[in-house]
Amino acid sequence: MDELNYPPSDRISKTDGHRNVLKKHAAAIHATNPPLLLQRKIFNVLLSHAKDSLLTEEEHFIKISDIASSIGYNGNNYNSIKNSLRGLVRFYVEWNIINDDAINKEECWVASTFLAGVRIKEGICYYSYSPQLKKFLHTPSIYGRINLTTQAKFSSMYGLALYENCVRYQSLPATRWFDLEEFRKLMGTPPEKYIIFRDFKRRVIDAAIEEVNLYSEINISSEYVKISGIIKKIRFLIHKKQVNTAVISTINCFQNTVEEGDDPEEVCIHILVNKFKLSQNKAKSLLQQHDLEYIRQKIKLVENSTSYKTGQIKNVAAYFLDALKNDYQTPRPSNNLIDQRMASEKMALKIKEEKLQKEANENIQYSNYIKKNYLEVVQNLPVDAKESLIEEFFEHKKMATLLKRYYLESGVGHPLIWPLFEQFCNSQYKYLFSHLNLMKIEDFLRSLLE
């Protein structure tokens, strides 16, 4: 695209109405090099915006402000969005890390960066995809339906990653079984983090499930397969949330999640006729007299009112018309209610902080318990064996001179040396400690209370 050939303003304005339900190729969902939370959200928004012109246009464009509003970003500093776009040009995705057709596995493998290129000029983001990526994204064989309104609510990378990997199976009772190592890659968990499954479950799986169940249209729960007492596989049971038709109508009207081809005015007329009992002609007349967004606001106001929810409004049509005529407004909460809410939020935050602090203290206590037992074994080794072990450790870890100085001061128990030494022992000399009857953390913490 010519640098001086700017897109017409009427075309840019259409970005405000892009569809909020994205059909995303499973290969892009199951990336081997997963993007971070903000990058995932931006990638999905860009794909949704370019979906219909993937094969017909080499370069696509969208306002930076539209990207920000679509991902729920508030503010005028777009540096974080620019950094995320930079990452999407650098990170790559591999096709068929999850391949439901094992016969064609070799033939289907593809690797590409998430974006082939990106540039920003005068508040407009221009971006393009590689030929391999846009071909697969435009004609996928397996889709995951990702609600962009839903994804904007997620606050963790793991929550959104799990949502993307489960929503594809929402018409089935459960996902397929994932090998645990494969699942760690899908969640974007670095190999060195949460090596102990207990930590991985608490920090990644359980936290992600909580977000999916809180924000999305599905509820999920985990199931595991153990082999010789070790977790090897995981899958997720899926239940669609029960949503009544009134809520669905409101979502369709106010959040633009209507299916392709549905006209927003027709959806609004449908609600006015079927829910508020207006005639077809009256509903059409109102749309000629008032702005569509103004009517939407009053529909939402009426539906959210306590009187409507409890069935106390005898004549819904008259009530709605009066709200429209007199510009009813949502009542603002009193200062007392605001104070109560703030106090409640402060208390919840305090409880959460205390819980995290308690867990941190417990982990420190348990680590010290392990450390004490390991050091006793090392200290009781014959002198030659002990010196050989220490020498091999320094050679294996290529320790810096500064850390060797710490060793001379405090031995391998020094806070900067011990984590590396423990890791080395567990990987190279685990048999030295196999005779220790060490308690699991749950039993250890219980013993402190006895």
Side-chain angles (χ1 to χ4, degrees):
M1 180 179 291
D2 193 328
E3 192 74 61
L4 300 177
N5 185 16
Y6 302 122
S9 60
D10 62 334
R11 186 178 178 193
I12 296 175
S13 66
K14 291 180 182 178
T15 61
D16 294 334
H18 68 72
R19 292 192 303 278
N20 275 13
V21 175
L22 167 65
K23 288 183 176 181
K24 187 177 179 186
H25 194 291
I29 294 172
H30 305 304
T32 58
N33 191 3
L36 303 177
L37 174 66
L38 189 59
Q39 291 164 343
R40 277 183 179 272
K41 290 183 177 182
I42 291 175
F43 178 80
N44 288 342
V45 169
L46 296 181
L47 177 58
S48 176
H49 179 72
K51 186 71 177 67
D52 294 331
S53 56
L54 272 173
L55 297 184
T56 58
E57 296 184 16
E58 290 300 317
E59 192 172 45
H60 314 276
F61 54 84
I62 182 174
K63 290 180 180 178
I64 288 288
S65 58
D66 287 338
I67 297 177
S69 62
S70 296
I71 62 176
Y73 177 85
N74 297 317
N76 297 319
N77 188 341
Y78 297 142
N79 285 336
S80 58
I81 293 178
K82 291 178 182 177
N83 289 335
S84 294
L85 290 169
R86 189 180 295 114
L88 290 174
V89 175
R90 186 171 68 251
F91 294 158
Y92 69 91
V93 58
E94 289 184 18
W95 262 241
N96 283 334
I97 180 174
I98 288 183
N99 187 357
D100 294 328
D101 184 2
I103 296 176
N104 295 323
K105 185 172 183 179
E106 293 296 330
E107 297 175 6
C108 294
W109 183 86
V110 179
S112 169
T113 54
F114 284 91
L115 291 178
V118 63
R119 62 192 176 101
I120 296 175
K121 184 176 178 65
E122 297 183 352
I124 301 171
C125 172
Y126 300 84
Y127 60 101
S128 58
Y129 299 97
S130 70
Q132 297 88 349
L133 185 60
K134 64 184 181 181
K135 177 183 176 183
F136 276 83
L137 293 179
H138 188 265
T139 56
S141 58
I142 301 174
Y143 282 107
R145 292 177 63 85
I146 298 170
N147 189 305
L148 298 185
T149 302
T150 296
Q151 80 151 11
K153 301 174 184 177
F154 282 87
S155 59
S156 78
M157 176 184 76
Y158 296 134
L160 182 56
L162 184 59
Y163 170 65
E164 289 191 359
N165 283 290
C166 286
V167 75
R168 142 186 195 197
Y169 299 94
Q170 63 180 313
S171 60
L172 301 174
T175 67
R176 76 176 190 78
W177 286 104
F178 301 104
D179 178 82
L180 191 61
E181 288 305 310
E182 173 189 56
F183 181 71
R184 286 177 61 91
K185 291 181 182 179
L186 298 181
M187 296 297 286
T189 308
E192 68 277 6
K193 288 196 71 175
Y194 310 129
I195 299 173
I196 299 175
F197 179 76
R198 177 184 64 251
D199 296 333
F200 179 65
K201 181 177 183 298
R202 182 176 57 168
R203 300 291 187 183
V204 178
I205 299 174
D206 292 346
I209 288 175
E210 184 178 351
E211 274 210 335
V212 171
N213 291 343
L214 179 62
Y215 296 131
S216 80
E217 66 275 21
I218 57 176
N219 280 326
I220 62 174
S221 57
S222 55
E223 276 193 344
Y224 305 95
V225 168
K226 276 187 177 182
I227 299 177
S228 300
I230 300 175
I231 301 293
K232 291 293 186 180
K233 293 181 181 295
I234 183 174
R235 74 170 180 176
F236 298 89
L237 304 180
I238 299 176
H239 306 281
K240 294 201 79 171
K241 292 178 180 176
Q242 296 298 317
V243 183
N244 61 45
T245 55
V247 174
I248 292 174
S249 296
T250 302
I251 292 173
N252 284 342
C253 187
F254 299 114
Q255 297 185 357
N256 298 323
T257 56
V258 293
E259 292 295 326
E260 181 177 4
D262 285 351
D263 182 87
E265 289 194 0
E266 290 299 324
V267 173
C268 215
I269 290 172
H270 176 81
I271 295 173
L272 294 176
V273 171
N274 291 278
K275 296 183 65 177
F276 291 173
K277 309 305 179 185
L278 298 176
S279 68
Q280 192 83 220
N281 290 336
K282 182 62 176 177
K284 291 181 178 179
S285 174
L286 290 175
L287 283 168
Q288 293 175 354
Q289 299 171 31
H290 302 280
D291 182 72
L292 174 61
E293 187 57 36
Y294 179 75
I295 294 177
R296 285 175 164 179
Q297 291 173 4
K298 301 313 167 194
I299 290 176
K300 187 174 183 179
L301 182 145
V302 172
E303 289 188 327
N304 287 341
S305 68
T306 303
S307 299
Y308 178 82
K309 291 178 179 179
T310 55
Q312 297 178 28
I313 302 176
K314 302 303 180 184
N315 190 334
V316 179
Y319 186 87
F320 172 76
L321 292 174
D322 199 47
L324 204 63
K325 179 182 177 181
N326 296 303
D327 192 15
Y328 286 7
Q329 298 294 322
T330 303
R332 295 182 178 179
S334 66
N335 289 336
N336 186 39
L337 288 176
I338 293 175
D339 291 342
Q340 290 179 7
R341 187 179 304 163
M342 290 180 64
S344 177
E345 290 174 353
K346 280 185 177 180
M347 180 59 69
L349 181 60
K350 181 180 178 182
I351 292 173
K352 183 176 181 180
E353 290 176 347
E354 289 176 349
K355 180 181 178 183
L356 291 175
Q357 185 61 51
K358 180 174 179 289
E359 290 175 352
N361 291 337
E362 290 173 347
N363 286 330
I364 290 173
Q365 288 178 296
Y366 185 67
S367 296
N368 288 336
Y369 161 72
I370 299 294
K371 179 179 179 180
K372 177 185 175 183
N373 282 272
Y374 271 45
L375 287 177
E376 285 181 359
V377 172
V378 173
Q379 294 299 332
N380 291 328
L381 288 173
V383 176
D384 291 346
K386 178 182 176 182
E387 290 179 350
S388 177
L389 176 67
I390 300 299
E391 183 179 343
E392 185 178 344
F393 163 66
F394 279 107
E395 182 180 343
H396 180 78
K397 290 298 181 182
K398 298 181 174 59
M399 302 295 289
T401 304
L402 180 62
L403 291 184
K404 285 186 177 179
R405 189 182 311 152
Y406 290 144
Y407 167 73
L408 294 175
E409 293 175 1
S410 307
V412 292
H414 191 282
L416 293 178
I417 297 179
W418 170 250
L420 298 173
F421 184 73
E422 182 185 23
Q423 183 185 49
F424 167 75
C425 289
N426 284 332
S427 63
Q428 303 294 325
Y429 289 96
K430 196 170 184 64
Y431 68 88
L432 290 176
F433 312 95
S434 60
H435 66 284
L436 295 175
N437 187 22
L438 297 177
M439 293 182 283
K440 294 182 179 180
I441 187 169
E442 296 86 357
D443 298 328
F444 171 75
L445 296 175
R446 195 179 300 116
S447 70
L448 297 179
L449 301 175
E450 294 174 352

